[in-house]
Amino acid sequence: MAYDKENIFAKILRGEIPSNTVYEDDQILAFNDIAPKTPVHVLVIPKGEYIDMDDFAANASAAEIAHFFAKAGEIARGLGLHEGGYRLVTNNGENAGQIVPHFHIHLMGGQRIKEGSMARGMDGA
Ligand code: 5GP
């Protein structure tokens, strides 16, 4: 499957669609999810064109991968999520119900997340 340059996150990266930026550098962008499932719900994406975790893990450089996850941790810490704990989720492909075909992780926290609940469809979240 080829990367779809018209996916919504590609448009956000090109500035064609607004987003609420939490953090940005030359390699990654973090912004608030438009439909937050928890009080803090941030999406972190690489600026490179990767469809999903499978694509990112297979084709991004070790430096890109290291930077991405180091910064994701820093962002979570900067938001204070490390204090109460948080969930990091990525949906990969159809079985996981991935909606946007540009690799992203969800950083979710700010409240107790029900045991066993997933990124989507969380009761009371
Ligand atoms: P997925 O199921 O692909 O892991 O999750 C995609 C996420 O992107 C969803 O949580 C959804 O709310 C979020 N999302 C979809 N469209 C937009 C948008 O235009 N702006 C922002 N900020 N988030 C979006």
Side-chain angles (χ1 to χ4, degrees), residues 42-117:
V42 171
L43 302 171
V44 186
I45 68 174
K47 291 191 172 178
E49 296 182 347
Y50 302 104
I51 298 168
D52 53 20
M53 176 66 186
D54 179 63
D55 187 17
F56 188 63
N59 297 312
S61 69
E64 262 182 297
I65 294 170
H67 180 82
F68 182 85
F69 284 102
K71 283 294 170 192
E74 276 180 33
I75 291 163
R77 177 170 278 269
L79 292 167
L81 293 179
H82 63 298
E83 286 168 9
Y86 62 95
R87 180 162 295 173
L88 187 159
V89 169
T90 187
N91 294 311
N92 191 107
E94 200 177 334
N95 280 355
Q98 180 179 359
I99 295 168
V100 181
H102 181 110
F103 172 55
H104 54 280
I105 60 168
H106 300 248
L107 292 177
M108 311 171 83
Q111 73 172 49
R112 178 101 185 166
I113 299 171
K114 198 178 165 194
E115 206 174 311
S117 62

Side-chain angles (χ1 to χ4, degrees), residues 8-9 12 17-20 31-35 37 41 43 90-91 96-100 104 106 120:
I8 203 99
F9 293 171
I12 285 175
I17 289 178
S19 69
N20 192 333
F31 53 98
N32 288 319
D33 196 292
I34 203 168
K37 307 292 190 301
H41 186 170
L43 302 171
T90 187
N91 294 311
Q98 180 179 359
I99 295 168
V100 181
H104 54 280
H106 300 248
R120 219 168 303 108

Side-chain angles (χ1 to χ4, degrees), residues 21-42:
T21 301
V22 171
Y23 174 83
E24 180 169 18
D25 64 25
D26 60 328
Q27 293 184 42
I28 72 165
L29 177 68
F31 53 98
N32 288 319
D33 196 292
I34 203 168
K37 307 292 190 301
T38 45
V40 180
H41 186 170
V42 171

